[in-house]
Coordinates of all heavy atoms in Angstrom, one line a residue:
P1 N 91.5 103.3 95.3 CA 90.3 103.5 94.4 C 89.5 104.7 94.9 O 88.8 105.3 94.1 CB 89.5 102.2 94.5 CG 89.9 101.6 95.9 CD 91.4 102.0 96.0
H2 N 89.5 104.9 96.2 CA 88.8 106.1 96.8 C 89.8 106.8 97.7 O 90.7 106.2 98.2 CB 87.6 105.6 97.6 CG 86.7 104.6 96.8 ND1 85.9 105.1 95.8 CD2 86.6 103.3 96.9 CE1 85.2 104.0 95.2 NE2 85.6 102.9 95.9
I3 N 89.5 108.1 98.0 CA 90.4 108.8 98.8 C 90.5 108.3 100.2 O 91.6 108.3 100.8 CB 90.0 110.3 98.8 CG1 91.1 111.2 99.5 CG2 88.6 110.5 99.6 CD1 92.3 111.3 98.6
E4 N 89.4 107.7 100.7 CA 89.5 107.1 102.0 C 90.2 105.8 102.0 O 90.5 105.2 103.1 CB 88.1 106.8 102.5 CG 87.2 108.1 102.8 CD 86.5 108.6 101.5 OE1 86.7 107.9 100.4 OE2 85.8 109.6 101.6
G5 N 90.6 105.2 100.9 CA 91.3 104.0 100.8 C 90.4 102.8 100.3 O 89.3 103.1 99.8
P6 N 90.9 101.6 100.4 CA 92.2 101.3 101.0 C 93.4 101.7 100.1 O 93.4 101.6 98.9 CB 92.1 99.7 101.1 CG 91.2 99.3 100.0 CD 90.2 100.4 99.9
W7 N 94.5 102.2 100.8 CA 95.7 102.6 100.1 C 96.6 101.4 100.1 O 96.8 100.6 101.0 CB 96.3 103.7 100.9 CG 95.6 105.0 100.6 CD1 94.5 105.5 101.3 CD2 95.8 105.9 99.6 NE1 94.1 106.7 100.8 CE2 94.8 107.0 99.7 CE3 96.7 106.0 98.5 CZ2 94.8 108.1 98.8 CZ3 96.6 107.1 97.7 CH2 95.7 108.1 97.8
S8 N 97.2 101.2 98.9 CA 98.0 100.0 98.6 C 99.4 100.1 99.4 O 99.7 101.1 100.0 CB 98.4 100.0 97.2 OG 99.2 101.1 96.8
D9 N 100.1 98.9 99.4 CA 101.4 98.9 99.8 C 102.2 99.7 98.8 O 101.8 99.8 97.6 CB 102.0 97.5 100.0 CG 101.6 96.9 101.2 OD1 101.1 97.6 102.2 OD2 101.7 95.6 101.4
P10 N 103.4 100.3 99.2 CA 104.1 101.1 98.3 C 104.9 100.4 97.1 O 105.3 99.3 97.4 CB 105.1 101.9 99.2 CG 105.3 100.9 100.3 CD 104.0 100.3 100.5
T11 N 105.0 101.1 96.0 CA 105.9 100.6 94.9 C 107.1 101.5 95.0 O 107.0 102.8 94.9 CB 105.2 100.8 93.6 OG1 104.0 99.9 93.5 CG2 106.1 100.4 92.4
Y12 N 108.2 100.9 95.1 CA 109.5 101.7 95.1 C 109.8 102.2 93.7 O 109.6 101.4 92.7 CB 110.6 100.8 95.6 CG 112.0 101.5 95.4 CD1 112.4 102.6 96.3 CD2 112.8 101.1 94.4 CE1 113.6 103.2 96.1 CE2 114.1 101.7 94.2 CZ 114.5 102.8 95.0 OH 115.6 103.4 94.8
I13 N 110.2 103.5 93.6 CA 110.4 104.0 92.3 C 111.9 104.4 92.1 O 112.6 103.8 91.2 CB 109.6 105.4 92.1 CG1 108.1 105.1 92.4 CG2 109.9 105.9 90.7 CD1 107.5 104.0 91.4
N14 N 112.5 105.2 92.9 CA 113.9 105.5 92.7 C 114.5 106.2 94.0 O 113.7 106.5 94.9 CB 114.2 106.4 91.5 CG 113.6 107.8 91.5 OD1 113.2 108.3 92.6 ND2 113.5 108.5 90.4
S15 N 115.7 106.6 93.9 CA 116.3 107.3 95.1 C 117.3 108.4 94.6 O 118.2 108.8 95.3 CB 117.1 106.3 96.0 OG 116.3 105.3 96.5
S16 N 117.1 108.9 93.4 CA 118.0 109.8 92.8 C 117.8 111.3 93.3 O 118.6 112.2 93.0 CB 117.9 109.8 91.3 OG 116.6 110.1 90.9
G17 N 116.8 111.5 94.0 CA 116.5 112.8 94.6 C 115.1 112.8 95.3 O 114.5 111.8 95.3
F18 N 114.7 114.0 95.8 CA 113.5 114.0 96.6 C 112.4 114.9 95.9 O 112.6 115.3 94.7 CB 113.8 114.5 98.0 CG 114.6 115.8 98.0 CD1 114.0 117.0 98.0 CD2 116.0 115.7 98.2 CE1 114.8 118.2 98.0 CE2 116.8 116.8 98.3 CZ 116.2 118.1 98.2
D19 N 111.3 115.1 96.6 CA 110.2 115.9 96.0 C 109.6 115.3 94.7 O 109.6 116.0 93.7 CB 110.6 117.4 95.8 CG 110.8 118.1 97.1 OD1 110.8 117.5 98.1 OD2 111.0 119.3 97.0
P20 N 109.2 114.1 94.7 CA 108.7 113.4 93.5 C 107.3 113.9 93.2 O 106.5 114.3 94.1 CB 108.7 112.0 93.8 CG 108.5 111.9 95.3 CD 109.2 113.1 95.9
S21 N 106.9 113.8 91.9 CA 105.5 114.0 91.5 C 105.2 113.1 90.4 O 106.1 112.6 89.7 CB 105.2 115.5 91.2 OG 106.0 115.9 90.0
L22 N 103.9 112.9 90.1 CA 103.5 112.1 89.0 C 102.5 112.9 88.1 O 101.6 113.5 88.6 CB 102.8 110.8 89.5 CG 102.4 109.7 88.5 CD1 103.7 109.1 87.9 CD2 101.6 108.7 89.2
F23 N 102.7 112.9 86.8 CA 101.9 113.6 85.8 C 101.2 112.6 84.9 O 101.9 111.7 84.3 CB 102.7 114.6 85.0 CG 102.0 115.2 83.9 CD1 101.0 116.1 84.2 CD2 102.4 115.0 82.6 CE1 100.3 116.7 83.1 CE2 101.7 115.6 81.6 CZ 100.6 116.4 81.8
H24 N 99.9 112.7 84.8 CA 99.1 111.9 83.9 C 98.8 112.7 82.6 O 98.0 113.6 82.6 CB 97.8 111.5 84.6 CG 98.0 110.9 86.0 ND1 98.4 109.6 86.2 CD2 97.9 111.6 87.2 CE1 98.5 109.5 87.6 NE2 98.2 110.6 88.1
D25 N 99.5 112.3 81.5 CA 99.3 113.1 80.3 C 98.0 112.6 79.6 O 97.4 111.6 79.9 CB 100.5 112.8 79.3 CG 100.7 114.0 78.4 OD1 99.8 114.8 78.2 OD2 101.8 114.1 77.8
D26 N 97.5 113.4 78.7 CA 96.2 113.2 78.1 C 96.2 112.1 77.1 O 95.2 111.7 76.5 CB 95.6 114.5 77.5 CG 96.5 115.2 76.6 OD1 97.5 114.6 76.2 OD2 96.3 116.4 76.4
D27 N 97.5 111.6 76.7 CA 97.6 110.4 75.9 C 97.7 109.1 76.6 O 97.9 108.1 76.0 CB 98.8 110.6 74.9 CG 100.1 110.6 75.7 OD1 100.1 110.6 77.0 OD2 101.2 110.8 75.1
G28 N 97.5 109.2 78.0 CA 97.5 108.0 78.8 C 98.9 107.7 79.4 O 98.9 106.8 80.3
R29 N 99.9 108.3 79.0 CA 101.2 108.0 79.5 C 101.4 108.8 80.9 O 100.8 109.8 81.1 CB 102.3 108.5 78.6 CG 102.2 107.7 77.2 CD 103.2 108.3 76.2 NE 104.6 107.9 76.4 CZ 105.6 108.2 75.7 NH1 105.4 109.1 74.7 NH2 106.9 107.8 75.9
K30 N 102.2 108.2 81.7 CA 102.5 108.7 83.0 C 104.0 109.1 83.2 O 104.8 108.3 82.7 CB 102.1 107.8 84.1 CG 100.5 107.4 84.1 CD 100.2 106.5 85.2 CE 98.7 106.0 85.1 NZ 97.8 107.1 85.1

């Protein structure tokens, strides 16, 4: 919720490659 944390436990996403990123579109989709 804040940059200082608390930071959550991780959610596993995939293993198909590296250098992931997340984009938040202006329609609310990620």
Side-chain angles (χ1 to χ4, degrees):
H2 310 285
I3 192 68
E4 295 84 1
W7 286 88
S8 69
D9 281 347
T11 298
Y12 170 75
I13 304 300
N14 67 14
S15 300
S16 59
F18 49 86
D19 289 7
S21 65
L22 189 65
F23 171 68
H24 311 280
D25 208 341
D26 49 20
D27 63 0
R29 299 172 78 180
K30 300 183 186 300

